[in-house]
Amino acid sequence: NDIETFTVLKDASATAIYGSRASNGVIIITTKKGKTGKPLTLNYDGNVSVSTPVKYMEVYSGDEMRQIALEHPELYDATDISLLGTQNTDWQKEIYRNSISSNLNFSVNGMLFDKIPSRVSIGRTLQEGLTLTSGFERSSGSVSLNPSVFENHLKISVNANASLEKNRFNKGVQGTAITFDPTQPVY
């Protein structure tokens, strides 16, 4: 929400402006700033979404595993069969969940002390992951001050941005969920 415009320069135009290092192209991002002579403007942007697992891998149930062990004893030795449990656990359904995500942004744009064009924005993103305990959080803030001095002969731009992110992955749990023994209980 802090981006006002972005421009893609490619080929000769990027190379002419930025040199040979820009021969593959350049992306120019312009951030929003306070506007001179505009009244105080408050902006709020928010969205909420829900995600749900749609399809799971087909795996054997606990009953099917026990039936295979009884019909094909040559695949198991006696100790393996005695370790089979009595449950019908679908491990994929144990690790996945419906998740709720939200993205909220608030900004104030106007003149500070009736002299300095200013913009302040804060944002908060919360995304629960589809697997239990996974998720992403981001808090961000930005301040933009754009005073002009000496009768508009000197324009100054001061921009500050801060962001704090926390990310948690559950690496490898999906593979484990489709191969783990469905005869065992959850504990």
Side-chain angles (χ1 to χ4, degrees), residues 64-169:
E64 291 169 327
M65 288 294 288
R66 285 185 287 276
Q67 186 65 32
I68 291 170
L70 291 174
E71 290 176 0
H72 301 283
E74 71 277 3
L75 299 175
Y76 299 91
D77 64 27
T79 55
D80 288 343
I81 292 176
S82 67
L83 294 175
L84 292 176
T86 59
Q87 300 296 312
N88 278 309
T89 305
D90 186 340
W91 291 103
Q92 293 175 91
K93 292 184 178 166
E94 295 297 328
I95 67 163
Y96 289 114
R97 65 178 171 187
N98 294 332
S99 67
I100 298 174
S101 300
S102 63
N103 188 10
L104 310 172
N105 294 286
F106 180 73
S107 66
V108 178
N109 193 352
M111 298 292 284
L112 184 64
F113 308 117
D114 291 328
K115 295 183 181 189
I116 303 173
S118 307
R119 184 173 187 278
V120 176
S121 71
I122 57 172
R124 180 84 168 135
T125 300
L126 295 171
Q127 294 177 337
E128 289 181 338
L130 280 177
T131 55
L132 295 174
T133 72
S134 67
F136 174 73
E137 294 179 38
R138 177 178 49 226
S139 299
S140 60
S142 70
V143 176
S144 174
L145 305 172
N146 307 101
S148 295
V149 292
F150 304 122
E151 298 175 5
N152 288 336
H153 292 310
L154 177 61
K155 294 181 180 180
I156 301 170
S157 291
V158 178
N159 296 304
N161 295 302
S163 180
L164 177 63
E165 295 181 358
K166 182 179 173 185
N167 205 351
R168 177 161 181 187
F169 294 107

Side-chain angles (χ1 to χ4, degrees), residues 5-52:
T5 63
F6 65 91
T7 307
V8 178
L9 301 177
K10 6 180 211 178
D11 304 326
S13 61
T15 306
I17 298 169
Y18 295 102
S20 63
R21 295 186 73 183
S23 61
N24 289 329
V26 173
I27 297 175
I28 300 171
I29 298 172
T30 306
T31 56
K32 293 179 181 175
K33 298 179 175 146
K35 305 281 188 205
T36 308
K38 295 267 185 172
L40 182 68
T41 306
L42 303 174
N43 292 311
Y44 170 76
D45 179 39
N47 62 55
V48 176
S49 62
V50 177
S51 299
T52 185

